[in-house]
Amino acid sequence: MTRNTKFGIIVPLSLHPDAAQDLRDLMVADPGPAGKIAAFLEQAKRDPKIIDSLLDHEFGKDRSESYNVSKWLEFWKTGFNLWRLKFWTCPKGSLKYRVVYAYQPSSRHYHILAIVHRDFNYEDDHEATQRVLAAYRSLGITTLH
């Protein structure tokens, strides 16, 4: 958890080491989108409106916002509190990368677990899926059921 000691604010968003490595790798491979993702995550730490939107399934789906939030439905249905962020680009389309995160209700904390290419189809047996689930479990995030 990040703490702004100047104002005593605890920011409920952090990067899991796997996601931090994803972002570092992306900064080398594709710096433009990586910078946009990093800037968004920094802004989210200071903007309660963004934090509030992170549990609003289909937020921004109509492109009324610069990003879209959705549940990872396959795992959501089995009790995992997993979500995905998609970033819109102008005039059409989206960034080539998605941010996968989990929410821990007991601490009201968001954990960024991975940054994946949009071609990732969230298959159960995909390496990225297995890594996300391992990170989720390692953090002790409760399931919803």
Side-chain angles (χ1 to χ4, degrees):
M1 195 174 296
T2 304
R3 181 181 291 274
N4 180 331
T5 54
K6 183 175 180 182
F7 299 107
I9 299 168
I10 297 175
V11 180
L13 185 139
S14 62
L15 263 76
H16 184 274
D18 292 347
Q21 186 61 53
D22 291 341
L23 190 55
R24 284 190 294 275
D25 292 346
L26 191 55
M27 284 290 192
V28 172
D30 204 350
K36 289 179 181 186
I37 291 169
F40 176 86
L41 295 175
E42 283 303 311
Q43 182 181 354
K45 290 179 181 180
R46 295 184 301 279
D47 189 339
K49 289 180 184 177
I50 292 175
I51 293 295
D52 289 346
S53 73
L54 295 179
L55 297 178
D56 186 355
H57 181 62
E58 297 189 347
F59 178 87
K61 181 179 180 180
D62 61 359
R63 299 178 77 86
S64 61
E65 301 293 335
S66 61
Y67 59 97
N68 171 236
V69 172
S70 64
K71 297 172 184 174
W72 187 341
L73 287 173
E74 182 176 350
F75 285 102
W76 180 267
K77 291 175 184 176
T78 62
F80 288 87
N81 205 340
L82 287 169
W83 298 77
R84 183 255 320 138
L85 277 172
K86 175 194 297 187
F87 300 94
W88 299 123
T89 58
C90 292
K92 292 183 178 180
S94 64
L95 285 185
K96 294 186 286 185
Y97 306 94
R98 307 291 187 252
V99 173
V100 177
Y101 62 96
Y103 179 67
Q104 173 59 281
S106 64
S107 62
R108 296 177 22 189
H109 191 87
Y110 297 86
H111 300 272
I112 307 302
L113 302 179
I115 299 168
V116 297
H117 195 277
R118 72 175 172 212
D119 290 343
F120 165 64
N121 287 324
Y122 304 92
E123 301 94 353
D124 289 355
D125 60 348
H126 193 281
E127 177 271 332
T129 300
Q130 294 306 308
R131 187 172 56 104
V132 165
L133 294 175
Y136 188 101
R137 290 179 180 115
S138 76
L139 292 168
I141 301 170
T142 56
T143 56
L144 301 171
H145 301 293

